[in-house]
Amino acid sequence: MGSNLPPPNVRKDASGGDPADNIVRAVAALAALPGVVVGAVSSVYRTEPQGYRDQPWFANQVARLECDPDMTPEVLLDHLLEVERGLGRRRAYAPEGGQGDGHEEAVREGADAPTPDPAARYAPRTIDIDLLLFGTAVRDTPRLTLPHPRMRERAFVLVPLYEIAPELAFPDGQSLIHALKSLTFTLHDGCIAQ
């Protein structure tokens, strides 16, 4: 989960409204989902923006969700997108052929998802909840790619993931620690620069 904007109910010129507040609200909303229990939750890390750098740093956190056995990755994705909308997320782009819901919803953010402006994919956001993994499930559909297609490139994902699941292995067998060691980044006082 990531956020670099204050909660929607905080005026832009008002003091307060830390983006980490959106992370707290997101975890509470996830805990309220039917068939979902929030398990381990990482610390909140302050992280350098990726792609589009001219924006505030992000607050990022990873949470393990324990789902009912009949929950599918696609159903969980629907729940995550609904939580994002409920917390004020408005996406700035939609994939080609994607269905609009009045919020220009983009379900897939894969490298092949077209955007009118490349910076739009990395624009500031109230909340971003990505489905990184779903057990050993592998998907590559217009709606969902599992594992998340860019997670192994991102220290802001792998560092907090390592905090809560150091023994994790990806569905292809690569260990989390191996993926983490392949990245160049700095970690100091809870801040990740990459």
Side-chain angles (χ1 to χ4, degrees):
M1 293 171 280
S3 174
N4 70 340
L5 294 176
N9 59 344
V10 176
R11 291 187 345 258
K12 290 182 181 179
D13 61 342
S15 62
D18 187 327
D21 295 342
N22 291 323
I23 303 291
V24 172
R25 293 170 58 219
V27 172
L30 294 172
L33 290 173
V36 174
V37 174
V38 175
V41 179
S42 75
S43 303
V44 174
Y45 292 84
R46 298 296 172 163
T47 62
E48 185 176 31
Q50 303 293 302
Y52 174 61
R53 302 246 184 211
D54 188 21
Q55 61 179 315
W57 279 44
F58 282 80
N60 277 296
Q61 183 176 62
V62 171
R64 177 182 300 181
L65 303 180
E66 299 166 13
C67 300
D68 283 349
D70 58 341
M71 177 89 60
T72 66
E74 292 78 12
V75 169
L76 181 58
L77 176 64
D78 290 339
H79 287 313
L80 300 181
L81 294 171
E82 186 59 35
V83 168
E84 285 186 346
R85 283 190 295 272
L87 295 174
R89 173 77 187 263
R90 301 296 177 259
R91 293 182 186 264
Y93 68 94
E96 186 174 333
Q99 296 178 344
D101 67 355
H103 300 296
E104 297 179 25
E105 185 68 43
V107 174
R108 181 177 178 163
E109 294 187 18
D112 58 346
T115 62
D117 174 3
R121 171 175 289 155
Y122 304 104
R125 63 216 44 209
T126 303
I127 192 70
D128 185 26
I129 306 172
D130 287 332
L131 180 53
L132 303 173
L133 295 160
F134 193 92
T136 59
V138 175
R139 299 281 195 280
D140 189 10
T141 71
R143 288 198 66 226
L144 179 62
T145 301
L146 285 174
H148 187 284
R150 291 172 302 285
M151 69 181 287
R152 293 187 221 197
E153 303 165 7
R154 298 174 168 176
F156 71 82
V157 172
L158 298 185
V159 169
L161 184 57
Y162 183 79
E163 180 183 330
I164 66 170
E167 302 299 320
L168 185 132
F170 295 99
D172 66 5
Q174 183 187 36
S175 69
L176 173 57
I177 190 65
H178 183 264
L180 191 56
K181 286 181 177 181
S182 72
L183 299 179
T184 302
F185 66 95
T186 60
L187 173 61
H188 181 69
D189 290 335
C191 294
I192 301 170
Q194 182 179 16

